[in-house]
Amino acid sequence: MVSTRLSRLEGHRRKFMAVIDDTPECGRAVHYAGMRAKNSNGGLVLLYVIADGDFQQWLGVEGIMRAEAREEAEATLAKIAQTVRETIGIEPEMVIREGSATEQIYSLIEEDRDIAILVLAAGSAKDGPGPLVSSIAGKTAAFPIPVTVIPDTLTDAEIDALS
C-alpha cells in the first residue's frame, strides 16, 4: 500500500519519474516523462540507482569503488538533465540511491508523495524488454502507482505527439 498522493493538493504538482540506467531505451522514458511533465505543468524526477552488489570487495577498495560509482551516477544524471533542459525546457530533480532498483523506486515513491507516474521504456533487444519492465510483466514488482511503458521504437516526434 502506498501513501496517498499529494500531487493534486494546493502547493503540490504531479511528478513523473524516470529511472536512469545504461540501457539505450532509457532516453525514450526520459523524453516522454519530461514532455508529460512540461505539458501538464508537472515535475520530472530522474532516479539513478547504484546496485549495492557492486561493492563486495575489501574495505579499502569498496570505498574507492563506491566513490567512483557515485561520480559516474552524477555525471550521467548531469548529462541527461542538460539534455532535458535543452530539448524540453524544464529543470529535472535528480536523485541517486544505492540498493536494489525496485526497492529504491518503492522507497522514493513513498518519500515523495507528489510522484504519481513511473515511466519506463521497453527495449527491443533479444534479451527482452529490460529488467524493470520484465519484473512488471512477471508481476514480481507491481509498483504502487501507474506505470507507463514506452516502446523504444518511438521517435522524439512520435513521443511529443503522444505526450
Side-chain angles (χ1 to χ4, degrees), residues 79-162:
K79 182 178 177 182
I80 291 172
Q82 187 59 34
T83 300
V84 168
R85 286 183 206 103
E86 291 171 359
T87 60
I88 301 173
I90 63 172
E91 184 64 37
E93 294 177 38
M94 296 177 282
V95 179
I96 299 173
R97 298 281 180 94
E98 282 185 31
S100 153
T102 303
E103 289 173 10
Q104 295 307 317
I105 292 168
Y106 274 106
S107 178
L108 186 56
I109 290 168
E110 184 61 29
E111 290 169 25
D112 186 342
R113 294 173 52 195
D114 288 338
I115 296 173
I117 298 176
L118 172 61
V119 179
L120 303 173
S124 58
K126 61 182 176 184
D127 317 2
L132 289 174
V133 174
S134 293
S135 71
I136 292 168
K139 297 182 182 176
T140 58
F143 293 103
I145 59 174
V147 178
T148 301
V149 179
I150 306 302
D152 77 331
T153 56
L154 293 179
T155 65
D156 284 351
E158 291 169 324
I159 290 173
D160 293 349
L162 292 169

Side-chain angles (χ1 to χ4, degrees), residues 38-103:
K38 179 180 180 179
N39 292 336
S40 65
N41 198 29
L44 173 62
V45 177
L46 304 175
L47 172 64
Y48 189 107
V49 179
I50 301 168
D52 56 5
D54 294 345
F55 308 118
Q56 303 299 320
Q57 303 292 330
W58 297 292
L59 190 56
V61 176
E62 178 183 343
I64 293 169
M65 291 177 69
R66 211 176 277 281
E68 288 174 352
R70 180 91 182 173
E71 286 176 18
E72 180 182 334
E74 290 171 354
T76 300
L77 280 175
K79 182 178 177 182
I80 291 172
Q82 187 59 34
T83 300
V84 168
R85 286 183 206 103
E86 291 171 359
T87 60
I88 301 173
I90 63 172
E91 184 64 37
E93 294 177 38
M94 296 177 282
V95 179
I96 299 173
R97 298 281 180 94
E98 282 185 31
S100 153
T102 303
E103 289 173 10

